[in-house]
């Protein structure tokens, strides 16, 4: 049975729609909006009793750690890392900035572990890449040294376009890290689906068509993601791991209705999981992941 894997890149509000937009917004009003988005997603998962992973930008713990602990303190939720400040990690690697990479990968992990009292074994790379961290042994080495077991760094199509194809998991064996697992994300980034400027690949790399218009409500977002559930069931693809951000979910629907619809659809015929479950599933049978990247286009 395919897995539906719920995961949320939990970062500050990125108000791209504002005229004076200049990056992530850490003002008090936006922090409240950020927390409201996390609560909305959590409430849906609690109501439906569905597990989820929250990949945290560690800087948010410096700003609102107590509130995040209160919101996410439940056995359904798996807490992992989304870097310290949400930089382009490959750009840091290309500059040879090992100090910055250690801060983003190791210091962030330590702060999250200290805050929640649980081990962090997974990372979601900010933005997502076409081939993930393949060919970047410096990043992989720091991750292995820090104690990571898996990463979601494949999250884009050719030339970092969106949406992301249905790539299968693989081990970073070719880079010399055979026990570090890549678990690619699939489909849209919800912030880009709903209007944030980015390059979209044409023809579509997904096995279904692009939306005719930019979705502006929960139903429209659901309609853009839901075919992935049916695709996995039809082809026996091992898992579906769509890309969502609580702030972007909340911008479209204050009650995270798009998430409620997707979970209701998926749970009819899929096993509901978080990223820790996916890791365990593959560790139980290593052959469920390839020994090298194999991109689906």
């Amino acid at each position: 049975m395919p897995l539906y894997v719920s995961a949320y890149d939990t970062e500050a509000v990125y108000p791209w729609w504002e005229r004076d937009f200049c990056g992530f917004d850490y003002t008090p009003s936006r922090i409240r909006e950020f927390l409201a988005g996390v609560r909305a997603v959590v409430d849906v998962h609690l109501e439906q009793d569905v597990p989820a992973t929250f990949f945290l930008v560690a800087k948010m713990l410096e700003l609102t750690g107590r509130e995040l602990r209160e919101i996410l303190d439940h056995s359904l939720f798996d807490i992992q890392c989304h870097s310290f400040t949400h930089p382009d990690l490959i750009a840091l690697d290309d500059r040879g900035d090992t100090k910055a990479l250690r801060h983003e990968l190791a210091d962030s992990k330590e702060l999250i572990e200290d805050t929640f009292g649980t081990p962090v074994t997974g990372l979601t790379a900010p933005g997502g890449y076409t081939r993930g961290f393949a060919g970047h042994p410096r990043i992989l080495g720091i991750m292995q040294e820090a104690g990571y077991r898996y990463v979601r760094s494949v999250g884009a199509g050719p030339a970092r376009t969106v949406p992301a194809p249905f790539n299968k998991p693989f081990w970073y064996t070719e880079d010399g890290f055979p026990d570090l697992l890549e678990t690619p994300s699939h489909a849209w980034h919800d912030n880009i689906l709903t209007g944030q400027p980015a390059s979209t690949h044409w023809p579509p790399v997904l096995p279904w068509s692009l939306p005719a218009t930019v979705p502006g409500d929960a139903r429209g977002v659901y309609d853009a993601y839901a075919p992935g559930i049916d695709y996995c069931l039809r082809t026996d693809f091992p898992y579906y791991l769509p890309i969502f951000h609580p702030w972007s979910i909340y911008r479209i629907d204050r009650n995270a209705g798009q998430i409620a619809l997707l979970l209701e659809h998926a749970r009819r015929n899929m096993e509901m999981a978080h990223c820790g479950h996916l890791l365990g599933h593959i560790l139980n049978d290593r052959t469920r992941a390839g020994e090298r990247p194999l991109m689906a286009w």
Side-chain angles (χ1 to χ4, degrees):
M1 178 184 294
L3 305 180
Y4 181 93
V5 185
S6 296
Y8 302 96
D9 296 357
T10 309
E11 63 204 32
V13 178
Y14 192 77
W16 56 266
W17 57 91
E18 293 186 347
R19 182 172 298 181
D20 59 350
F21 159 72
C22 59
F24 289 107
D25 191 334
Y26 299 102
T27 59
S29 63
R30 290 298 190 196
I31 294 293
R32 289 192 293 272
E33 186 177 341
F34 157 79
L35 290 170
V38 178
R39 286 192 189 97
V41 173
V42 162
D43 286 346
V44 169
H45 277 267
L46 291 175
E47 181 178 346
Q48 298 201 29
D49 194 31
V50 171
T53 297
F54 290 84
F55 289 91
L56 303 183
V57 168
K59 180 173 181 175
M60 303 312 294
L61 295 177
E62 294 182 327
L63 299 172
T64 184
R66 180 180 60 81
E67 292 89 343
L68 279 172
R69 286 196 307 271
E70 291 174 354
I71 296 169
L72 297 173
D73 183 19
H74 195 281
S75 59
L76 277 178
F77 304 136
D78 171 45
I79 309 302
Q80 303 298 334
C81 185
H82 191 33
S83 80
F84 210 111
T85 66
H86 202 279
D88 183 333
L89 294 170
I90 286 182
L92 293 179
D93 188 35
D94 289 343
R95 294 201 300 269
D97 197 340
T98 301
K99 181 179 179 180
L101 285 173
R102 290 189 185 280
H103 177 62
E104 296 295 341
L105 298 170
D107 294 348
S108 56
K109 180 178 185 293
E110 183 178 354
L111 178 56
I112 296 168
E113 289 175 333
D114 289 346
T115 301
F116 285 89
T118 57
V120 168
T121 58
L123 173 82
T124 284
Y129 304 98
T130 300
R131 291 178 56 84
F133 290 151
H136 293 272
R138 186 190 342 251
I139 294 176
L140 297 170
I142 293 171
M143 290 189 64
Q144 179 170 277
E145 181 183 336
Y148 286 102
R149 301 295 304 278
Y150 74 95
V151 59
R152 294 168 63 217
S153 61
V154 176
R160 293 194 70 177
T161 56
V162 292
F166 274 80
N167 293 305
K168 291 185 178 181
F170 61 88
W171 302 98
Y172 279 100
T173 304
E174 289 188 341
D175 286 288
F177 301 91
D179 295 320
L180 191 55
L181 178 68
E182 172 68 46
T183 56
S185 300
H186 308 132
W188 291 95
H189 298 236
D190 65 320
N191 51 324
I192 294 171
L193 172 67
T194 55
Q196 183 175 321
S199 298
T200 302
H201 194 271
W202 185 263
V205 293
L206 292 177
W208 66 89
S209 61
L210 302 179
T213 59
V214 173
D217 59 18
R219 173 61 65 170
V221 173
Y222 162 79
D223 287 341
Y225 280 96
I229 296 170
D230 301 321
Y231 172 79
C232 288
L233 294 170
R234 185 172 67 252
T235 65
D236 201 28
F237 195 86
Y239 71 95
Y240 186 26
L241 178 46
I243 307 161
F244 283 103
H245 307 77
W247 66 265
S248 183
I249 293 167
Y250 187 74
R251 187 181 77 86
I252 295 298
D253 189 284
R254 296 291 178 93
N255 297 311
Q258 60 271 58
I259 302 303
L261 290 168
L262 282 167
L263 298 184
E264 289 167 2
H265 183 169
R267 66 189 304 171
R268 295 174 200 151
N269 295 293
M270 300 181 79
E271 182 179 345
M272 308 304 282
H274 57 49
C275 289
H277 297 139
L278 176 59
L279 173 65
H281 183 71
I282 296 171
L283 288 176
N284 284 337
D285 181 358
R286 183 183 174 92
T287 63
R288 288 172 173 152
E291 294 297 334
R292 56 184 296 272
L294 185 61
M295 301 295 101
W297 65 80

